[in-house]
């Protein structure tokens, strides 16, 4: 059974230990130590990394700890190279990674307790990511409530309250006001934030709330009847702030407005764009009518400049509505868009004409007997048009 130093001394970053077993874990070299400060992935907190250094006489050799895994009673250290059992090592954990985890984890206790105390909203689960962490709350929260919990958590951080570690039996625990029912029996490890929160947890935490530094909630989304609250603590708050500052500065420059005017400016641009799209659609419709009148005939094969697939379709439908026509229209863009259409009283399977064209010139599409659309054709437009003309003429000559 590995003695877990971090249970009682989460600030221990260097320790001496003996390799008690060398083995392979999922194809990777691994070792058990008699004691360790390395935290294995559990309870929402990711694993520690670092190094183990072995001394043999005057020579020193170091292997990396690339992952740490929880193996019930033992802590498995996944290594960059094997270490034989009996080796005496000095372990050193990557402290900046670990301290960041301690800040996020303690911040989670404070934030969860704030939601619980202010709104009776229970934390259902917790996940710590590499950039952002989340807690899932049982009930929905408004942004106003989120901001109040954020404020309450911040006050507890600024109070610099003690974060104490206590061990109690599960019987004793039933007498205590734990925020959450403990899931395990036997000896429980409790984390107590002075006059604010008491919960059972096996993770690593800072010694006083001031070390969390800062806490902020950048995003909230609906999740399983409640909400998923994204939060950051410590240096991550500065990183998130930096990212937001950059994107706000870029947007402010592009739109020539003040930061607080951004939402209104974006709304104005969206309204303008919607109006423009409507005008363009009206112009296209009337232009399509003119094009259709210009092109009207029995067999119409044309490559049209400046029209997209939707425009070609509108023109084709105008032509087939005006005259007894067989129509093949192409865009002059690359890849080429195509529309095949016929008037209701003409004989032609537009879909099979399209298929004949895509078989020869590539691309794809589909449709019905009276109207088929495709795109992605490649080749010389003159060749494509003459092939289409041949297909339509053949259909036209069949009575
Ligand atoms: Zn914890």
């Amino acid at each position: 059974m590995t003695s877990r130093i971090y249970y009682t001394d989460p600030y221990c970053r260097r320790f001496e230990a003996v390799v008690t077993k060398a083995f392979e874990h999922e194809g990777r070299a691994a070792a058990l130590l008699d004691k360790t400060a390395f935290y294995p992935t559990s309870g929402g907190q990711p694993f520690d990394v670092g190094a183990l250094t072995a001394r043999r006489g005057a020579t020193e050799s170091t292997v990396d700890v690339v992952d740490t895994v929880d193996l019930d009673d033992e802590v498995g250290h996944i290594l960059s190279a094997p270490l034989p059992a009996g080796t005496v090592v000095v372990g050193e954990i990557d402290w900046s990674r670990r301290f960041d985890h301690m800040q996020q984890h303690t911040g989670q206790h404070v934030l969860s307790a704030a939601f619980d105390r202010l709104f009776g909203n229970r934390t259902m689960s917790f996940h710590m990511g590499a950039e952002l962490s989340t807690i899932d709350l049982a009930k929905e929260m408004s942004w106003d409530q989120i901001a109040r919990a954020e404020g309450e958590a911040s006050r507890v951080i600024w109070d610099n309250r003690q974060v104490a570690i206590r061990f109690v039996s599960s019987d004793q625990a039933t007498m205590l006001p734990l925020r959450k029912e403990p899931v395990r029996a036997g000896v429980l490890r409790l984390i107590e934030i002075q006059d604010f929160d008491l919960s059972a947890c096996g993770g690593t935490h800072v010694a006083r709330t001031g070390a969390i530094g800062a806490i902020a909630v950048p995003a909230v989304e609906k999740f399983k009847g409640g909400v998923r609250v994204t939060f950051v603590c410590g240096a991550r708050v500065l990183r998130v702030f930096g990212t937001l500052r950059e994107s706000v500065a870029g947007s402010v420059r592009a739109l020539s407005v003040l930061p607080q005017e951004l939402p209104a400016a974006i709304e104005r641009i969206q309204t303008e764009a919607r109006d423009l799209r409507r005008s363009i659609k009206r112009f296209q419709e009337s232009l399509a009518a003119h094009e259709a009148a210009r092109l009207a005939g029995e067999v119409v094969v044309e490559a049209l400049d400046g029209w997209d697939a939707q425009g070609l379709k509108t023109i084709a439908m105008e032509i087939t509505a005006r005259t007894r026509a067989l129509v093949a229209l192409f865009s002059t863009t690359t890849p080429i868009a195509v529309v095949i259409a016929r008037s209701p009283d003409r004989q032609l399977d537009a879909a099979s004409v399209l298929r004949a064209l895509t078989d020869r010139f590539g691309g794809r599409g589909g449709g019905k007997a009276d109207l088929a659309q495709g795109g992605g054709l490649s080749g010389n437009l003159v060749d494509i048009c003459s092939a289409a003309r041949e297909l339509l003429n053949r259909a036209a000559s069949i009575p």
Side-chain angles (χ1 to χ4, degrees):
M1 183 165 160
T2 316
S3 163
R4 301 179 192 228
I5 299 168
Y6 57 82
Y7 271 169
T8 48
D9 183 9
Y11 279 81
C12 172
R13 52 180 108 171
R14 237 175 111 85
F15 62 99
E16 200 176 272
V18 180
V19 177
T20 54
K21 187 182 170 189
F23 63 109
E24 268 203 1
H25 181 79
E26 292 170 358
R28 299 184 292 176
L32 299 182
L33 305 176
D34 62 336
K35 56 179 179 292
T36 190
F38 282 86
Y39 184 83
T41 300
S42 51
Q45 182 180 332
F47 58 89
D48 284 335
V49 297
L52 299 179
T53 302
R55 275 194 200 86
R56 278 186 211 86
T59 60
E60 241 183 30
S61 63
T62 298
V63 300
D64 293 330
V65 177
V66 296
D67 191 355
T68 310
V69 294
D70 200 40
L71 306 169
D72 294 324
D73 279 348
E74 308 282 2
V75 174
H77 304 78
I78 310 301
L79 306 176
S80 57
L83 271 179
T87 313
V88 176
V89 292
V90 172
E92 179 144 24
I93 61 175
D94 175 340
W95 182 248
S96 65
R97 175 182 163 93
R98 156 65 90 70
F99 185 67
D100 168 64
H101 292 169
M102 284 161 59
Q103 287 181 308
Q104 312 309 314
H105 200 148
T106 318
Q108 181 262 317
H109 283 240
V110 176
L111 189 60
S112 285
F115 280 118
D116 202 278
R117 292 169 71 106
L118 290 178
F119 308 109
N121 203 349
R122 302 283 299 268
T123 293
M124 308 310 286
S125 65
F126 159 55
H127 173 76
M128 194 192 301
E131 304 284 332
L132 303 167
S133 304
T134 56
I135 54 178
D136 296 336
L137 297 175
K139 297 188 290 189
E140 288 194 18
M141 288 271 99
S142 67
W143 260 115
D144 183 55
Q145 290 171 316
I146 301 279
R148 279 172 61 196
E150 206 179 30
E152 177 76 351
S154 298
R155 272 187 291 281
V156 170
I157 290 171
W158 302 329
D159 277 351
N160 199 24
R161 300 189 193 191
Q162 194 190 15
V163 181
I165 302 166
R166 282 163 61 184
F167 292 89
V168 297
S169 69
S170 41
D171 281 350
Q172 285 171 303
T174 55
M175 315 290 290
L176 295 169
L178 292 184
R179 173 158 48 82
K180 212 174 160 184
E181 306 277 305
V183 284
R184 36 182 294 182
V187 176
L188 289 175
R189 181 171 179 265
L190 303 184
I191 301 301
E192 179 168 29
I193 297 170
Q194 192 189 332
D195 301 328
F196 195 67
D197 188 45
L198 183 64
S199 39
C201 182
T204 58
H205 311 82
V206 294
R208 299 195 78 93
T209 54
I212 298 166
I215 192 162
V217 174
V220 178
E221 59 189 317
K222 287 197 168 117
F223 184 76
K224 287 187 180 170
V227 283
R228 171 162 285 180
V229 176
T230 300
F231 72 96
V232 281
C233 298
R236 295 187 185 198
V237 175
L238 287 180
R239 277 208 294 279
V240 167
F241 178 72
T243 307
L244 290 176
R245 179 172 52 199
E246 250 171 62
S247 60
V248 168
S251 310
V252 159
R253 259 198 312 277
L255 300 180
S256 301
V257 295
L258 296 170
Q260 60 271 28
E261 295 166 351
L262 273 176
I266 290 166
E267 206 170 307
R268 198 179 60 239
I269 289 167
Q270 282 176 330
T271 307
E272 281 169 8
R274 196 166 50 239
D275 291 348
L276 279 174
R277 277 197 299 275
R278 282 200 194 118
S279 308
I280 288 169
K281 190 160 180 272
R282 272 202 309 281
F283 287 132
Q284 274 189 334
E285 278 163 5
S286 86
L287 201 52
H290 285 287
E291 281 288 81
R294 182 176 72 83
L295 297 170
E298 292 241 316
V299 174
V300 179
V301 179
E302 287 287 337
L304 296 176
D305 229 357
W307 293 92
D308 60 7
Q310 184 55 42
L312 295 179
K313 183 181 165 190
T314 309
I315 298 169
M317 286 169 69
E318 281 277 343
I319 298 173
T320 54
R322 277 160 188 265
T323 46
R324 298 182 67 251
L326 304 180
V327 181
L329 299 180
F330 300 91
S331 70
T332 54
T333 52
T334 321
I336 299 160
V338 54
V339 176
I340 312 290
R342 66 155 164 82
S343 302
D345 53 357
R346 294 294 298 266
Q347 293 290 320
L348 177 78
D349 182 5
S352 64
V353 171
L354 177 65
R355 209 173 313 118
L357 288 173
T358 53
D359 282 350
R360 188 163 156 197
F361 299 101
R364 58 205 185 94
K368 296 181 181 157
D370 59 342
L371 181 76
Q373 273 186 286
L377 283 71
S378 58
N380 187 323
L381 255 179
V382 176
D383 294 343
I384 296 174
C385 283
S386 77
R389 191 179 304 278
E390 202 175 298
L391 287 161
L392 295 193
N393 280 335
R394 200 183 305 154
S397 64
I398 299 165

